[in-house]
Amino acid sequence: MKKRLAAAILSFSMMLMLFPITAFAVENYDLYLYLGNESVGTRVTSENASDVLGDGTVSYDPDTCTLTLNNAKLAGIYTYGMDSKVLTIKVIGECIINSPKFNAINLYATTSAGPDYDQDSLVITGDGTLKINALAGNNAGIATYNDVTIKDTNVEINSANHIAIALQTLNDPDLDDIDLNIINSTVTATTNGTSTNAIWVEDGAIKTDNSTVTVKAESTTYPVLWAATAIEITNKSNVTATGFESNTFYSDGDIVINDSVVKATDTSEYALPAIYAYGDITVENNSTVTAESRGMRGVYTDGNMTIDGSTVTASGTTNEGMVVVGTLNVNNAKLTASGSPDDIYIPAIVAEGLHITASDVTAKGGIQLFNYSSGLDDNISFSITPGAGKTAEFKVDKNNWDGSAAAHFNEGTESPYDAAVNFDTDEMNQLSSYRYVHIGEHIHAGGTATCTSKAVCRDCGREYGTALGHNVITSGARAATCTAEGYTGDKVCENCGEVFEKGKTIPMLAHNYKNGVCTVCGAPSDGNAPQTGERSDMVLWVLALTLSGCALAGAFVYAKRKKC
């Protein structure tokens, strides 16, 4: 019995000795901070999470996977995809990551072979500024195998020789697109490498929402912005990208620009198209897009392009300004395209179909309608539709790239147009013979309208506006006399003389005789006519006699009353 009790006490004592070790074991998190050239960084643990570096600049909340940087200075941030978590970096003040030998922010994946795939997503947020400098070798500013979201913050990335932002894929069948999302933020990404992108999304999209993004790369072969599925620039974003010899914007899918400003510039004479898409390009909702290439083409798409309620300028110094393999639709918009000014055989716009509605389109270099699939003119289409209540003009110049001698198109359907016009094959083929084309609203001017005809436009020679309307007056009216009848006068237009109402005759007046002679015209009385003048004298005599009698009577009555 005593032995059993002793054994129980010993076991209990051992359990008490082990309890603190088990209860208070340090938890290691899948997060490392690098401070310099070390190969293994400082691992974040439950023990140091509240103040990782001991100087109050870095803390970590494992429940939300939030790493807070408060004016921190680091050399790198790493995870190894152990939990497929979302790492949030919250930026306070001015934080700097200077990476001398590794990627500045690197979220590794655990495997690329499966069957289990683990990779972390990244969110950068906060009202501070994060500056990332990848200083050497093939180091990236940000490298992940899952989504990256930059939201409500400011990020500046500079890479000495490699990608500023790289989103790669491990062929995870359960993971759809891996996207770069920039929301309500300011982002600058620059690389000085000659064989690399500034931003590369291997299997996903680049999306900006209400953000200002500035990107630059000096590459000779790689696009500045590369996205496998789409590039979407929306909600008052402002994106400026500058490249050297390769494309500035490149997408294997679609490019959508909505309510935003985009400027894409290639600076080399050997440059590829500034904006390139294998899918469709849409520019809509009050957007402004400028695509300039010192080499070939400002814009190229293997699909269709729609410009709706927006302004697009596209220029190619050595080649076309814009090539749309499919159909180019321009609705309530302004498009200006310029091809090579030195080559009469290079048009400004090439498309299979071109449909312009209530828009202004200028092609310095002309327009060519061409079917890329067949190499012929089959399936080409071209139409112009004026705005409601307006007239559209179609002006061309055969000899001048700037349109200095442009005149109305008159090969068949003559410009201007007050209704939609679909052009036939002969008219469409005629387009390629012009060095300048302008399509836009025609405003009549010049000429003078009359009350019978409209004004004639001095530019197109067609009537326009309304007639002035007649100015009706009475002419030829005369009063009747004792020798001639009168006339009320005709109602006539003062300008053109048209008679609207004939006048009426006024009967002749009677003579006014005195002493046998008309006092008006001097004609003698014929004896039967009343002597107007003598009758008047008699009337005056009778009136005077009557008045005298009345006066005598009044005097007699007055005298009689006085006597009484």
Side-chain angles (χ1 to χ4, degrees):
M1 186 66 180
K2 290 181 180 181
K3 290 182 178 180
R4 289 180 181 178
L5 181 60
I9 293 172
L10 179 62
S11 298
F12 182 71
S13 299
M14 293 178 66
M15 289 178 62
L16 289 176
M17 292 175 64
L18 292 173
F19 178 76
I21 298 174
T22 304
F24 299 105
V26 175
E27 185 175 358
N28 295 318
Y29 303 125
D30 180 27
L31 179 60
Y32 295 80
L33 303 182
Y34 285 79
L35 302 178
N37 288 311
E38 72 270 36
S39 297
V40 179
T42 299
R43 187 167 192 173
V44 180
T45 69
S46 57
E47 194 171 58
N48 65 15
S50 60
D51 187 2
V52 180
L53 302 180
D55 59 4
T57 62
V58 181
S59 61
Y60 181 67
D61 182 349
D63 294 330
T64 61
C65 296
T66 299
L67 180 69
T68 299
L69 306 181
N70 189 342
N71 293 293
K73 292 179 173 57
L74 303 171
I77 299 173
Y78 285 74
T79 69
Y80 289 88
M82 297 299 184
D83 309 312
S84 289
K85 59 185 171 296
V86 178
L87 174 65
T88 298
I89 299 176
K90 184 178 180 181
V91 181
I92 299 173
E94 185 172 306
C95 301
I96 299 175
I97 301 176
N98 288 323
S99 178
K101 60 185 295 186
F102 301 118
N103 298 332
I105 298 177
N106 198 340
L107 275 56
Y108 286 103
T110 55
T111 180
S112 60
D116 295 325
Y117 297 85
D118 291 304
Q119 52 269 319
D120 296 338
S121 299
L122 175 65
V123 175
I124 303 176
T125 189
D127 57 9
T129 298
L130 177 61
K131 293 184 178 181
I132 299 172
N133 298 309
L135 301 176
N138 293 325
N139 294 341
I142 297 175
T144 75
Y145 292 88
N146 211 329
D147 294 340
V148 172
T149 299
I150 302 173
K151 183 177 182 181
D152 301 324
T153 193
N154 306 288
V155 176
E156 178 184 326
I157 306 169
N158 299 291
S159 178
N161 197 46
H162 200 46
I163 299 174
I165 302 176
L167 276 65
Q168 304 173 70
T169 178
L170 292 179
N171 302 315
D172 184 345
D174 298 323
L175 189 66
D176 293 326
D177 293 344
I178 299 173
D179 297 334
L180 170 63
N181 303 287
I182 303 174
I183 304 169
N184 194 34
S185 296
T186 298
V187 174
T188 300
T190 302
T191 178
N192 293 318
T194 58
S195 299
T196 185
N197 317 100
I199 297 178
W200 176 49
V201 180
E202 184 182 14
D203 188 15
I206 298 172
K207 301 178 181 180
T208 71
D209 182 343
N210 189 34
S211 296
T212 298
V213 179
T214 304
V215 186
K216 183 178 180 180
E218 297 294 332
S219 176
T220 58
T221 54
Y222 291 86
V224 179
L225 292 166
W226 171 307
T229 61
I231 296 176
E232 299 177 9
I233 302 170
T234 63
N235 191 23
K236 301 190 183 306
S237 289
N238 192 323
V239 179
T240 300
T242 304
F244 184 58
E245 286 188 0
S246 189
N247 311 108
T248 305
F249 289 80
Y250 180 97
S251 173
D252 286 322
D254 298 338
I255 295 178
V256 176
I257 302 168
N258 184 302
D259 189 23
S260 296
V261 176
V262 170
K263 185 172 183 180
T265 305
D266 287 332
T267 59
S268 170
E269 62 181 317
Y270 304 107
L272 298 174
I275 298 178
Y276 188 107
Y278 269 109
D280 297 336
I281 298 177
T282 302
V283 182
E284 59 189 355
N285 193 18
N286 200 35
S287 293
T288 299
V289 175
T290 303
E292 299 174 337
S293 175
R294 287 194 60 200
M296 61 168 67
R297 302 162 186 157
V299 175
Y300 184 100
T301 172
D302 275 307
N304 303 311
M305 183 170 183
T306 298
I307 306 171
D308 193 348
S310 299
T311 299
V312 173
T313 302
S315 62
T317 304
T318 64
N319 226 297
E320 301 94 346
M322 173 183 291
V323 174
V324 179
V325 174
T327 299
L328 172 59
N329 295 297
V330 186
N331 308 313
N332 297 292
K334 182 175 182 179
L335 168 62
T336 302
S338 302
S340 171
D342 302 320
D343 194 328
I344 63 173
Y345 300 106
I346 294 179
I349 298 174
V350 177
E352 183 177 84
L354 175 58
H355 302 289
I356 301 167
T357 301
S359 297
D360 188 287
V361 176
T362 301
K364 294 181 178 181
I367 295 173
Q368 183 179 13
L369 299 175
F370 179 73
N371 187 327
Y372 268 77
S373 298
S374 67
L376 303 173
D377 62 6
D378 56 312
N379 205 41
I380 61 174
S381 59
F382 177 39
S383 69
I384 298 174
T385 303
K390 297 181 179 180
T391 303
E393 69 179 21
F394 176 14
K395 286 190 170 182
V396 294
D397 190 334
K398 284 193 174 182
N399 301 312
N400 304 289
W401 183 84
D402 62 357
S404 55
H408 287 275
F409 178 83
N410 59 5
E411 302 292 334
T413 307
E414 188 170 355
S415 167
Y417 317 112
D418 57 9
V421 179
N422 291 290
F423 294 84
D424 62 31
T425 302
D426 290 339
E427 292 170 329
M428 289 188 282
N429 287 334
Q430 188 70 25
L431 274 176
S432 60
S433 66
Y434 301 112
R435 293 215 67 210
Y436 173 91
V437 173
H438 175 259
I439 299 163
E441 180 185 355
H442 178 71
I443 300 175
H444 295 296
T448 303
T450 70
C451 52
T452 57
S453 63
K454 300 177 180 180
V456 176
C457 177
R458 65 170 174 262
D459 178 55
C460 68
R462 299 186 185 182
E463 288 187 334
Y464 72 97
T466 57
L468 296 179
H470 294 286
N471 184 25
V472 180
I473 61 171
T474 302
S475 60
R478 62 182 183 275
T481 67
C482 55
T483 60
E485 294 176 331
Y487 193 65
T488 59
D490 297 334
K491 303 293 184 182
V492 300
C493 175
E494 182 181 28
N495 298 321
C496 67
E498 181 178 348
V499 178
F500 293 92
E501 182 181 331
K502 295 292 290 183
K504 295 181 181 180
T505 301
I506 302 172
M508 189 171 59
L509 301 177
H511 291 288
N512 182 26
Y513 290 109
K514 182 177 181 181
N515 298 325
V517 178
C518 179
T519 61
V520 178
C521 67
S525 172
D526 59 2
N528 295 321
Q531 300 298 306
T532 307
E534 295 175 357
R535 185 164 50 250
S536 299
D537 291 343
M538 185 176 289
V539 171
L540 291 174
W541 183 83
V542 172
L543 178 60
L545 183 61
T546 303
L547 292 174
S548 298
C550 290
L552 289 173
F556 174 77
V557 172
Y558 175 77
K560 189 173 181 180
R561 286 183 178 177
K562 189 175 182 181
K563 289 179 180 180
C564 295

